[in-house]
Amino acid sequence: MRILLTNDDGIYAEGINSLAAVLVDDGHEVIVAAPDRERSAAGHSITINNPLRANDAKLNIEGLSSYKINGTPADCVKLGLEKIIDYKPDFIISGINDGPNLGHDVLYSGTVSAAMEGFMLGISSIAISLAVKDKRDFNQGARHIGKLLNDLYSISIEKKILLNINIPDIDYDKIKGIKFTVLGKSLYEDSYEERVDPSGNRYYWIAGRYNEENIDINSDVWAVKNGFISITPIKIDLTDLQLIGILKKITK
Ligand code: MN
């Protein structure tokens, strides 16, 4: 398969390098186009007022072409497809992210947004995140994805796919299986810590609070917490069709 690989943790992050190594080893043709630095929580932003440059990243994987780009994950996908490769890849893969992207957090995620961008541009796309705990074993996550890829490819021929995959950070053989899930609620409850700088001025720093109450058993959050790989099919259309029907009353 021909794969365009990106991420939001930056091109030298462990996750993307582990995945690139496994995919190349499995015989896939991989091109990496990824941000030159960490852009986590960049969401779907793109660069419009500055020039973009794509330079050789010289990743240490034989047979791999890699480009570091001074833009966001979505920039990397757009530029990669238009200027770096001259064919339509079989997949855009984004990851493996250092940390989970579950529930409503997909809306902040640069990892997931890169996959969404690929899908919007007509390519089947997959976002992959490791729900990092103590192990931080990106290689085992990459091996799970490598195994799944042929099956996903068969499906993508029938229907273009956009998937958000989260892998628990546990031993390879302790993974209980795969659950096809819905997006749950955010795993973190954001709160701002208030601090005081040396000049006596207040400032605020976002801090996530872990919330494990009322987890829907059909959700991605539940699956990963219970040792399953979570695969959530997602879509771009945010339209609330039901509300259209209700709003129409206004014009009567
Ligand atoms: Mn990230």
Side-chain angles (χ1 to χ4, degrees):
M1 270 170 246
R2 297 203 282 194
I3 297 162
L4 182 68
L5 190 57
T6 192
N7 74 347
D8 78 355
D9 295 331
I11 196 158
Y12 300 109
E14 198 180 336
I16 194 169
N17 281 273
S18 294
L19 184 55
V22 166
L23 294 175
V24 167
D25 203 44
D26 287 350
H28 300 297
E29 191 183 318
V30 181
I31 302 251
V32 178
D36 60 358
R37 72 198 88 145
E38 187 184 349
R39 304 301 296 257
S40 290
H44 209 129
S45 62
I46 55 169
T47 302
I48 55 171
N49 288 323
N50 292 300
L52 288 175
R53 297 178 197 278
N55 293 316
D56 186 356
K58 298 188 175 72
L59 292 187
N60 195 20
I61 297 167
E62 208 178 301
L64 184 81
S65 305
S66 53
Y67 299 87
K68 55 179 175 181
I69 296 167
N70 59 333
T72 65
D75 285 329
C76 293
V77 172
K78 286 173 94 67
L79 193 69
L81 286 176
E82 191 176 324
K83 296 292 181 193
I84 293 174
I85 56 177
D86 55 5
Y87 54 84
K88 199 176 158 183
D90 298 303
F91 280 113
I92 306 279
I93 299 183
S94 178
I96 298 173
N97 188 61
D98 188 339
N101 276 304
L102 297 162
H104 297 165
D105 287 343
V106 299
L107 295 170
Y108 304 110
S109 168
T111 306
V112 178
S113 296
M116 287 172 125
E117 184 62 35
F119 184 80
M120 282 160 57
L121 295 171
I123 318 282
S124 283
S125 299
I126 307 169
I128 305 165
S129 305
L130 184 70
V132 167
K133 280 197 170 163
D134 319 325
K135 293 177 66 71
R136 292 192 83 254
D137 188 349
F138 291 99
N139 178 265
Q140 65 94 12
R143 283 162 58 212
H144 284 295
I145 296 306
K147 262 176 64 182
L148 268 169
L149 214 50
N150 279 329
D151 285 337
L152 296 180
Y153 179 67
S154 310
I155 290 166
S156 75
I157 291 170
E158 287 171 42
K159 186 185 187 306
K160 195 171 49 141
I161 59 176
L162 175 57
L163 303 177
N164 184 40
I165 300 183
N166 281 272
I167 303 169
D169 191 19
I170 55 181
D171 285 332
Y172 189 87
D173 46 13
K174 292 224 172 87
I175 297 266
K176 289 188 195 146
I178 294 169
K179 290 263 184 217
F180 299 101
T181 55
V182 300
L183 292 178
K185 287 190 195 143
S186 189
L187 194 57
Y188 298 101
E189 273 178 3
D190 289 338
S191 61
Y192 289 91
E193 266 187 43
E194 187 176 309
R195 299 180 187 178
V196 179
D197 73 16
S199 307
N201 302 309
R202 268 191 296 243
Y203 68 98
Y204 305 93
W205 203 311
I206 196 166
R209 229 175 341 126
Y210 208 55
N211 178 10
E212 295 207 317
E213 287 164 28
N214 304 320
I215 298 176
D216 175 356
I217 61 163
N218 298 309
S219 71
D220 51 357
V221 177
W222 188 94
V224 169
K225 184 173 151 50
N226 288 280
F228 293 90
I229 293 174
S230 164
I231 301 184
T232 310
I234 53 178
K235 56 184 184 175
I236 309 279
D237 188 351
L238 299 173
T239 314
D240 185 340
L241 289 174
Q242 200 192 0
L243 189 54
I244 286 185
I246 296 169
L247 286 169
K248 278 181 179 165
K249 287 180 192 166
I250 291 173
T251 54
K252 272 181 191 164

